[in-house]
């Protein structure tokens, strides 16, 4: 792992089973509300490490790899926004993240928008 992708030792990292697949994540464990970052099409969760480092003390930042990206499972079919939204909502359930801020870029924006549309009372905010 390069210095740029080196994670602080106290950050949690692992896998969760959500929506029938295994998703990789890392979590800063900061003192504030959950801030979940959903990445774009050609990236993985670690593409936003600089943002996570910047926000990590004030928020409980969660970076995760969408299905078919990074270290997460790559099922044979169903990679649309509905499936990715179900994955994200499953991740929130498994990690017991209440009242999260959902941040998405590109494909990730599509994902968080679909998740918020499915459960509009769930996120604190959508960025």
């Amino acid at each position: 792992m390069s210095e740029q992708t080196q994670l602080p030792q106290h950050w949690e990292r692992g896998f969760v089973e959500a929506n029938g697949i295994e998703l990789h994540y890392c979590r800063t464990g900061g003192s504030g509300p959950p801030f979940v970052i959903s990445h774009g099409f050609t990236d993985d969760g670690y593409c936003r490490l600089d943002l996570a480092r910047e926000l990590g003390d004030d928020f409980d930042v969660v970076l995760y790899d969408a299905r078919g990206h990074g270290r997460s499972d790559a099922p044979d079919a169903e990679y649309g926004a509905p499936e990715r939204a179900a994955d994200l909502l499953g991740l929130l359930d498994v990690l017991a993240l209440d009242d999260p801020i959902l941040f998405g870029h590109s494909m990730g924006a599509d994902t968080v928008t679909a998740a918020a549309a499915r459960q509009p009372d769930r996120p604190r905010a959508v960025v």
Side-chain angles (χ1 to χ4, degrees):
M1 196 175 271
S2 75
E3 184 176 316
Q4 186 176 3
T5 58
Q6 189 68 35
L7 301 178
Q9 290 287 27
H10 67 280
W11 285 15
E12 178 184 328
R13 62 204 102 195
F15 292 87
V16 297
E17 176 88 17
N19 194 30
I21 65 169
E22 192 169 77
L23 297 172
H24 175 264
Y25 75 95
C26 73
R27 184 175 186 177
T28 66
S31 61
F35 190 96
V36 182
I37 299 175
S38 187
H39 63 80
F41 180 69
T42 61
D43 293 318
D44 63 13
Y46 289 169
C47 76
R48 296 290 178 189
L49 279 175
D50 288 342
L51 180 59
R53 286 185 186 104
E54 185 69 28
L55 299 176
D57 291 336
D58 298 321
F59 295 89
D60 183 9
V61 180
V62 176
L63 305 168
Y64 76 100
D65 298 338
R67 61 174 51 217
H69 294 77
R71 295 151 199 85
S72 290
D73 282 347
D76 290 334
E78 305 304 326
Y79 280 75
E83 291 75 30
R84 291 190 317 272
D87 296 345
L88 172 55
L89 293 170
L91 175 83
L92 298 177
D93 289 341
V94 173
L95 295 179
L97 299 174
D98 295 323
D99 204 25
I101 299 165
L102 302 179
F103 172 94
H105 171 257
S106 187
M107 178 188 79
D110 192 37
T111 301
V112 301
T113 301
R118 186 176 292 179
Q119 294 184 6
D121 294 333
R122 186 110 190 236
R124 170 187 302 231
V126 174
V127 181

